Amino acid sequence: MEEKTYLKWYNKIGYGSGDIAGNVVYAFLTSFVMVYLTDTIGLASGIVGTLIAASKLFDGFTDVFFGSLIDKTHTKLGKARPWMIYGYIGCALTLVAVFAIPTSWGRTAQYAWFFIAYTLLNGVFYTANNIAYSALTSLVTKNSKERVQMGSYRFIFAFSTSLIIQSITVAFVDVCGGGAAAWRFVAIIYALIGLVVNTISGLSVKELPEEELNSGIENDEEKKYGLVQAFKLLVKNKYYMMICGTYILQQLYSAMIGAGIYYCTWVLKNKNLFGVFAWAVNIPLIIALIVGKWKGMYKLNKRGYILATIARALVIVAGYMGSVPLMMLFTAVAALGQGPWQGDMNAVIAECSEYTYLTQGKRVDGTMYSCTSLGIKIGGGIGTAIVGWLLEISGYVGTNATQPASAITMLQVMYLWLPFVFEILITILLSKMNVEAANEKLRREKGIE
């Protein structure tokens, strides 16, 4: 029986464009905040890493909190869209604040400014915006194919934006003068672009009535639940835990790839190669999302990451050979293998949410999508912190003209070896994440078509 369709092509594209706004924040932050702090402001990488780690502890509970609030929200705009649209205003302001540390202040004041701005950005505004944006996948359509298509459009925009940000930012900052004021100006431009696009994206789709979302499954009157019960519902869902783990590992992987700005500057002796590697990472992902027809998500995701793991092993070999072309080739193959999961990730989370509904009888779409923000904050944040700690341990000093051999060795570990390790761990998790089959079995048992 053909599934009912809910969206037009422009709804899907409009929704997907929201990741331009998300990655204006995420790509800019993960790729450049550490090098801005160490090489421009002159802060110690180890202290910055510790502050980022402390920030993650401080905002570690806000993901489930905001997810629960979204589930309880009832407005004319719906459950998620108000949080997505209005939350980004705070994202724009705090993104600028992170890259606007007063150079005339003392070190303690500068560290405090960064900690407050970074924590508000990640722990409050980005969390509210990102969980709401992700939850819309479940709230605007019940069609599984449309959910996959929404995810594909979303990540096409995400990787395109990451590609642009990573490719032009170094040159953009140099053109603007290359100092702290230049970083602040670039942050303002990016924040304004994100604010406009996020608003357009939020208004491009309409959430379904709750009666429509809950139709097709017999269910008692939906009971209210608090934050503690919401947390228990998530923990009971093994697939949610697997997705959280995968998402965290992905962000750790991305943080190490983002450290490529250091690798290109000090190992390859050309910081502009960072933008070239961005093409090798993002173009294959975009191609995979455009041409891919994701059927049977479980097998495709698992096989794709097996390919990605092999390719990252070959990147290590090429790196020690000193062959930049081979490094780029195998980086591209790895990205191609990651493509299926990037395209259907939101659809898998929607299936995960359906699993909770089928097993627990409760609709927790907003709370379920907390895994996206949780993964970004823990994985991306701790990943950036680890970069800072490893640089500090290695003896790296951003304001020095040269770096010791220990720092060069550490950069090779960070950029070559750690991404390979994370790929192995993700492949193991994906091999166990067959939530589609679990849901099909539950529907058969309940007699649901």
Side-chain angles (χ1 to χ4, degrees):
M1 185 176 182
E2 192 70 22
E3 286 187 273
K4 178 182 176 180
T5 58
Y6 297 85
L7 304 173
K8 303 293 185 182
W9 64 270
Y10 50 82
N11 300 126
K12 301 169 191 174
I13 293 177
Y15 169 80
S17 69
D19 246 311
I20 294 175
N23 277 273
V24 159
V25 174
Y26 183 71
F28 186 40
L29 200 64
T30 56
S31 296
F32 299 107
V33 71
M34 186 62 75
V35 74
Y36 159 75
L37 295 171
T38 59
D39 294 15
T40 300
I41 303 300
L43 301 184
S45 58
I47 296 177
V48 171
T50 300
L51 290 175
I52 290 174
S55 176
K56 297 305 104 184
L57 294 175
F58 182 80
D59 64 42
F61 298 99
T62 59
D63 304 275
V64 176
F65 173 73
F66 276 111
S68 180
L69 284 181
I70 290 169
D71 286 328
K72 297 175 186 301
T73 298
H74 301 279
T75 71
K76 290 183 179 179
L77 281 174
K79 289 174 173 287
R81 290 198 298 166
W83 294 97
M84 173 187 172
I85 293 171
Y86 298 122
Y88 200 88
I89 297 173
C91 285
L93 292 173
T94 50
L95 178 66
V96 173
V98 167
F99 286 89
I101 297 174
T103 55
S104 60
W105 287 15
R107 282 287 183 249
T108 301
Q110 289 177 330
Y111 285 124
W113 175 291
F114 167 71
F115 179 77
I116 294 169
Y118 184 86
T119 301
L120 286 173
L121 173 58
N122 285 278
V124 180
F125 300 114
Y126 188 85
T127 299
N129 169 266
N130 187 259
I131 292 177
Y133 177 53
S134 298
L136 283 176
T137 306
S138 293
L139 297 174
V140 302
T141 178
K142 294 175 65 178
N143 186 298
S144 59
K145 291 182 180 178
E146 288 183 335
R147 286 173 173 173
V148 173
Q149 290 167 350
M150 289 173 71
S152 295
Y153 280 118
R154 174 180 178 177
F155 286 104
I156 287 171
F157 281 107
F159 296 126
S160 299
T161 305
S162 293
L163 173 60
I164 293 170
I165 295 292
Q166 292 168 358
S167 297
I168 72 170
T169 297
V170 171
F172 192 6
V173 170
D174 286 343
V175 167
C176 294
W183 282 102
R184 182 176 64 246
F185 177 76
V186 171
I188 291 171
I189 296 300
Y190 287 167
L192 290 173
I193 293 171
L195 191 59
V196 172
V197 176
N198 181 78
T199 303
I200 294 172
S201 175
L203 297 176
S204 68
V205 291
K206 184 177 180 180
E207 296 179 31
L208 297 174
E210 292 187 48
E211 307 78 48
E212 173 75 8
L213 287 169
N214 296 334
S215 65
I217 300 178
E218 279 190 27
N219 189 32
D220 297 331
E221 183 181 351
E222 190 169 354
K223 298 177 182 179
K224 294 183 179 180
Y225 59 91
L227 186 61
V228 174
Q229 188 177 2
F231 179 76
K232 289 180 179 179
L233 286 170
L234 297 182
V235 173
K236 287 180 181 178
N237 189 327
K238 62 181 180 180
Y239 298 109
Y240 172 83
M241 303 304 291
M242 291 180 194
I243 291 174
C244 277
T246 302
Y247 219 108
I248 289 169
L249 288 168
Q250 278 185 292
Q251 304 313 309
L252 288 170
Y253 174 94
S254 296
M256 295 306 122
I257 297 300
I261 183 68
Y262 292 105
Y263 183 87
C264 292
T265 301
W266 298 104
V267 179
L268 300 181
K269 306 297 183 182
N270 184 356
K271 67 179 181 180
N272 292 317
L273 282 175
F274 180 70
V276 181
F277 272 103
W279 284 79
V281 171
N282 290 288
I283 291 298
L285 284 169
I286 295 169
I287 291 173
L289 292 171
I290 291 174
V291 304
K293 304 296 182 183
W294 312 135
K295 294 182 180 179
M297 294 185 287
Y298 167 69
K299 289 183 179 179
L300 194 59
N301 293 335
K302 182 176 69 172
R303 291 169 181 171
Y305 258 88
I306 290 173
L307 174 63
T309 302
I310 294 171
R312 285 307 308 186
L314 294 173
V315 171
I316 296 173
V317 175
Y320 283 103
M321 288 172 56
S323 174
V324 173
L326 282 179
M327 287 183 69
M328 290 185 179
L329 172 64
F330 296 132
T331 295
V333 174
L336 196 64
Q338 296 164 356
W341 169 249
Q342 302 296 340
D344 63 32
M345 184 191 307
N346 267 22
V348 174
I349 298 172
E351 288 284 343
C352 186
S353 180
E354 194 71 11
Y355 181 81
T356 291
Y357 193 38
L358 290 168
T359 56
Q360 304 296 322
K362 291 182 174 63
R363 176 68 64 183
V364 290
D365 299 295
T367 313
M368 187 62 63
Y369 277 89
S370 65
C371 64
T372 59
S373 179
L374 184 69
I376 288 173
K377 290 197 322 186
I378 293 180
I382 296 302
T384 304
I386 290 172
V387 169
W389 290 331
L390 294 180
L391 289 175
E392 186 74 16
I393 291 170
S394 72
Y396 178 89
V397 179
T399 54
N400 285 357
T402 60
Q403 299 299 334
S406 57
I408 301 301
T409 299
M410 184 62 78
L411 292 176
Q412 291 173 321
V413 170
M414 289 161 56
Y415 191 69
L416 299 178
W417 287 98
L418 289 181
F420 172 63
V421 172
F422 295 140
E423 294 281 53
I424 293 174
L425 296 175
I426 292 172
T427 303
I428 292 171
L429 282 175
L430 290 179
S431 70
K432 300 178 180 298
M433 201 186 300
N434 198 354
V435 64
E436 294 171 278
N439 283 348
E440 288 176 8
K441 181 180 179 182
L442 287 168
R443 291 189 187 100
R444 285 196 302 269
E445 290 173 354
K446 293 176 178 289
I448 301 169
E449 292 187 2

